[in-house]
Amino acid sequence: MTINPVSTIVGIISLAAGQLALFAEFLVFETRIRLEDTFYLLAGYLLPYRPKGRVIPPGKPGHAGLWPQYIPPTPTDSRGPCPGLNSLANHGILPRNGRQITFKMFMDAITSSYNFAPTLAEVLTRSAQPFDNGRGYINLSDLNAQMVIQHDASFTRPDIVYWPDQSKPHPELIDQFLSRASDGKHISLTDMAYEASVRRRECGMTNGQYSLTGSLSHRFFGDGNAAFMWTTFGGKVDDLAIWLKEERFPDGWEPYCRYSLGHPMLPGELAGLVIEFNINENQKLRAGDAYLTSQETPSAAYTSKRK
């Protein structure tokens, strides 16, 4: 085999040009989405809030707290690691089988059900696009792939190396998270930063394949998930327990954020930054708490065998 210098040089130039094009596309997208989000943010502060009981528009699932029937998934249904999307499928707002969901379907469902601004819905939907592969849709189980949306040190699931089916929530781990509520009723940003510190420390100690340390984007993604529970659920323990464990909407529930044009990106991002910059893996544990010493038998390890 003979090395062809011309094809090598052309290949390098093509690769560099492709990367520059992707970067330019990213800059254009970020500029547009930030400008639009500023509009939704200002509208949220200047326009009247949506009245309680009418946060979700008339004619949409969940209006006045009335959600379509909840049906738990069957073994053949497709589910992923995100309780927000799984809940939408369990109520039939997304296809109940969790399959062949287009990005427009995602956008419409999360915009109306969680009162998200179109900008936030678009960014979240865009994060699932790597799984499209030209099909024009994804299945919820596609999201179980490691380190795209799924990440280690989750509040609701052990690390994937010990909990391969990330579509199933882990009740004991969720109970641990909700027990962090300082007042017993609401999870605050401080409580979330504390739990994130514990999870990162114990997952780093017990998982030889722990992947969060070198991934700033996934640390922020995890922070954003926590911030969402604060801004959209008000951190209410009773509501979160149902939503996280059963992946269904509580009876009568409606989004905590009542901005007239929907929840923009910036408040959640700021809450996520508060969580991230208050994480301390060397913190002093609260009385009665201890780090997990093994993830190999999760159900036992997350309850009586914490040492």
Side-chain angles (χ1 to χ4, degrees):
M1 177 180 177
T2 302
I3 299 297
N4 187 329
V6 174
S7 64
T8 301
I9 293 171
V10 170
I12 292 172
I13 293 173
S14 297
L15 178 63
Q19 293 301 307
L20 286 173
L22 288 175
F23 182 66
E25 180 184 351
F26 170 77
L27 287 180
V28 170
F29 173 78
E30 277 294 305
T31 301
R32 175 183 66 80
I33 209 77
R34 293 295 168 183
L35 289 173
E36 291 180 10
D37 199 61
T38 300
F39 165 75
Y40 289 109
L41 180 68
L42 292 174
Y45 286 118
L46 296 176
L47 298 179
Y49 284 0
R50 296 184 182 183
K52 291 182 179 181
R54 300 181 63 85
V55 176
I56 295 174
K60 295 291 187 179
H63 174 66
L66 300 176
W67 295 95
Q69 182 184 8
Y70 166 78
I71 300 177
T74 69
T76 59
D77 288 337
S78 179
R79 293 294 185 269
C82 175
L85 297 178
N86 290 347
S87 297
L88 293 171
N90 291 341
H91 283 278
I93 301 168
L94 289 175
R96 289 190 183 274
N97 65 5
R99 301 182 188 280
Q100 298 189 8
I101 303 174
T102 67
F103 295 109
K104 184 180 186 305
M105 292 163 68
F106 275 123
M107 283 277 292
D108 292 346
I110 62 179
T111 298
S112 64
S113 298
Y114 294 109
N115 190 29
F116 282 177
T119 46
L120 179 55
E122 182 177 354
V123 167
L124 293 176
T125 301
R126 188 182 176 92
S127 66
Q129 287 182 340
F131 301 106
D132 181 318
N133 294 318
R135 298 177 297 178
Y137 66 84
I138 69 167
N139 303 321
L140 290 180
S141 59
D142 295 335
L143 305 179
N144 290 321
Q146 187 172 19
M147 296 301 285
V148 181
I149 288 175
Q150 182 279 335
H151 58 84
D152 287 339
S154 166
F155 290 175
T156 65
R157 287 143 171 87
D159 293 349
I160 193 170
V161 67
Y162 298 111
W163 196 254
D165 187 357
Q166 290 282 302
S167 69
K168 292 181 170 62
H170 193 282
E172 290 87 351
L173 187 54
I174 293 168
D175 283 339
Q176 171 189 293
F177 164 54
L178 298 178
S179 73
R180 306 304 191 195
S182 298
D183 67 357
K185 297 179 179 179
H186 300 84
I187 293 277
S188 67
L189 295 182
T190 299
D191 297 328
M192 291 180 178
Y194 175 82
E195 175 66 355
S197 302
V198 171
R199 291 292 293 140
R200 292 186 189 183
R201 172 73 178 273
E202 65 187 14
C203 290
M205 292 190 301
T206 59
N207 181 3
Q209 300 178 34
Y210 180 65
S211 55
L212 209 61
T213 301
S215 178
L216 182 63
S217 63
H218 284 89
R219 293 205 299 273
F220 281 130
F221 195 88
D223 298 332
N225 292 337
F228 164 76
M229 290 187 272
W230 186 70
T231 59
T232 304
F233 282 81
K236 293 182 179 179
V237 169
D238 289 345
D239 288 345
L240 287 171
I242 294 170
W243 184 68
L244 293 174
K245 289 183 181 181
E246 301 177 41
E247 298 189 326
R248 72 173 174 89
F249 296 116
D251 295 338
W253 180 83
E254 63 179 4
Y256 180 76
C257 177
R258 297 190 287 120
Y259 285 168
S260 58
L261 298 185
H263 183 323
M265 295 161 50
L266 188 59
E269 289 174 329
L270 292 177
L273 289 174
V274 169
I275 294 170
E276 178 63 29
F277 294 128
N278 283 276
I279 290 174
N280 177 11
E281 295 183 33
N282 297 314
Q283 67 184 343
K284 181 180 179 181
L285 294 179
R286 296 173 181 175
D289 290 346
Y291 291 115
L292 182 71
T293 58
S294 172
Q295 293 192 74
E296 295 187 22
T297 53
S299 291
Y302 282 100
T303 53
S304 60
K305 294 189 177 181
R306 299 180 71 84
K307 299 179 179 177

